[in-house]
Structure formats: structure tokens, C-alpha cells
Amino acid sequence: MVVSGPRIGVFGGAFDPPHNAHVALVEAALAQLNLAELRIFPTGDAWHKRRALSVAEHRLAMAQLAFGGFERTVVDARETLRPGPTYTLDTLRELQQEQPGTQLVLIMGADQAASLPQWHGWQEILSIAIVSVADRAGATGSAGPAGPRILPPLPSGARVETLELAPMDISATDIRTRAATSVDFSRLVPPAVARYIDQHHLYRSA
């Protein structure tokens, strides 16, 4: 059951690497969602990823470089330390136990929202957290729930909010490909992340 205490944002992802669209989403969440805190969770063993992720040490370091400068934002390493597959439900349960009385707001992109019924324990997720779906500014209205264009049918009582976000055509896959082929990607990621990728020779085939 969703409660009405302080709002804690939950934003997870591989962050392999974190890029400017991730940063824009964090900025929008802090500006629009009335969050007391935003917790960012680099994933551990991602059950839904077909490729192996970069080691957690690098992804945590890049997430800290990308998001650590924002007030009310914490990069949380717990999913990278958890054995076995990483499930958002486990993280929400832990936060609910650690911070009783808070209102958890699970932040996701439209593509993630469309596949929500495939998530482990998705109905319990909806009972624990409000879902905030990042969508192009104005696409579903300035307020109110995200429309059916984004979300599949949800159970009665599910709470959904729209997070307005300007469209940005950036993908981590493209950035990794650019890095592997020595094509400039510096404008697609925060400067500190670009330096980290170069210094640690990430995403290079040899």
C-alpha cells in the first residue's frame, strides 16, 4: 500500500555508461517530482540483459561522476553487491523496511514502462511504489497519469505519474560502439565520464 510520507525517488539502470539522457532524467525528476531524495541504483546481475555488463566497479564510479554532484541524490551500490539476479522488487522491499513511512517513486523510461508486466513481481512493485514514467514533454499532458500510448493495462489502484522530458536520441549501445571504434562520443556523456572511459580504456575490443 502506498503511503503519503516524504517521497524517495528510485532510478535504476546498467549505466554502462551513464549518459546525458540519464542526467537529463535525473534533473527532471528532481525538478518535477517533489523528492526528498533520489537514490540511483546501478544494477548488479541484470536478469534481462543478454550481454555481460562492465564490471560494477567501473559502472559505480561512472554513476558517481555523472550524478554525485546533484543535491538530494545518492548513488546506492547495494544491487551490485547482491548475489544472484538483480530485481527491482527486492530493492523496493529493502527501502520500504529501511525507511518506513516514505513514499517510493519508481522512475523509468517509456520503454521500460511498456515492458513492466514482464518484470519480476511487477504487481507487488505497483503496490509498493508510485511509477513515474519519463515521456516527451507534452506528449501526455502536463499533469495526470501517463496515457495508454505508453503503459500497458495496469491493475486497479496502480498509481502512475508522468515525468516530462525532452526527447534525446542517445543510447549506451551507441556510445560503447563509438568508444570501441575510436569515434568521438564526448558530447553524449558528462565530461568526467568521458575522461573515465578514456583513462580506463573501457569498451575497447583490445
Side-chain angles (χ1 to χ4, degrees), residues 10-32:
V10 177
F11 177 38
F15 303 122
D16 195 17
H19 50 66
N20 290 341
H22 294 137
V23 173
L25 188 150
V26 166
E27 291 175 330
L30 292 170
Q32 298 177 35

Side-chain angles (χ1 to χ4, degrees), residues 50-72:
R50 295 181 179 179
R51 66 175 185 86
L53 300 179
S54 299
V55 296
E57 176 187 358
H58 289 314
R59 294 185 294 106
L60 282 166
M62 289 189 289
Q64 190 63 46
L65 291 170
F67 311 120
F70 290 102
E71 294 183 1
R72 298 179 283 130

Side-chain angles (χ1 to χ4, degrees), residues 154-184:
L154 298 180
S156 175
R159 297 183 61 184
V160 180
E161 300 175 347
T162 298
L163 176 62
E164 292 190 356
L165 188 66
M168 298 181 71
D169 187 18
I170 302 175
S171 78
T173 300
D174 178 51
I175 293 167
R176 293 192 301 270
T177 299
R178 286 169 176 258
T181 54
S182 300
V183 176
D184 180 50

Side-chain angles (χ1 to χ4, degrees), residues 27-40:
E27 291 175 330
L30 292 170
Q32 298 177 35
L33 298 182
N34 190 30
L35 301 176
E37 181 180 80
L38 174 57
R39 301 192 76 87
I40 296 174

Side-chain angles (χ1 to χ4, degrees), residues 15-178:
F15 303 122
D16 195 17
H19 50 66
N20 290 341
H22 294 137
V23 173
L25 188 150
V26 166
E27 291 175 330
L30 292 170
Q32 298 177 35
L33 298 182
N34 190 30
L35 301 176
E37 181 180 80
L38 174 57
R39 301 192 76 87
I40 296 174
F41 295 90
T43 191
D45 180 5
W47 62 270
H48 59 294
K49 293 287 188 182
R50 295 181 179 179
R51 66 175 185 86
L53 300 179
S54 299
V55 296
E57 176 187 358
H58 289 314
R59 294 185 294 106
L60 282 166
M62 289 189 289
Q64 190 63 46
L65 291 170
F67 311 120
F70 290 102
E71 294 183 1
R72 298 179 283 130
T73 299
V74 176
V75 176
D76 192 316
R78 76 179 70 201
E79 291 192 357
T80 67
L81 303 174
R82 187 182 298 149
T86 295
Y87 295 120
T88 298
L89 177 58
D90 294 333
T91 300
L92 293 174
R93 285 172 172 169
E94 289 176 3
L95 292 173
Q96 192 178 46
Q97 292 176 353
E98 293 167 8
Q99 304 190 53
T102 58
Q103 189 175 66
L104 300 179
V105 182
L106 179 61
I107 300 164
M108 63 180 67
D111 55 342
Q112 293 174 306
S115 65
L116 186 58
Q118 301 173 25
W119 290 28
H120 173 73
W122 71 282
Q123 291 179 316
E124 185 177 348
I125 287 173
L126 292 171
S127 73
I128 294 174
I130 295 170
V131 174
S132 179
V133 181
D135 192 30
R136 292 176 298 172
T140 58
S142 59
R149 187 182 63 79
I150 298 173
L151 283 169
L154 298 180
S156 175
R159 297 183 61 184
V160 180
E161 300 175 347
T162 298
L163 176 62
E164 292 190 356
L165 188 66
M168 298 181 71
D169 187 18
I170 302 175
S171 78
T173 300
D174 178 51
I175 293 167
R176 293 192 301 270
T177 299
R178 286 169 176 258

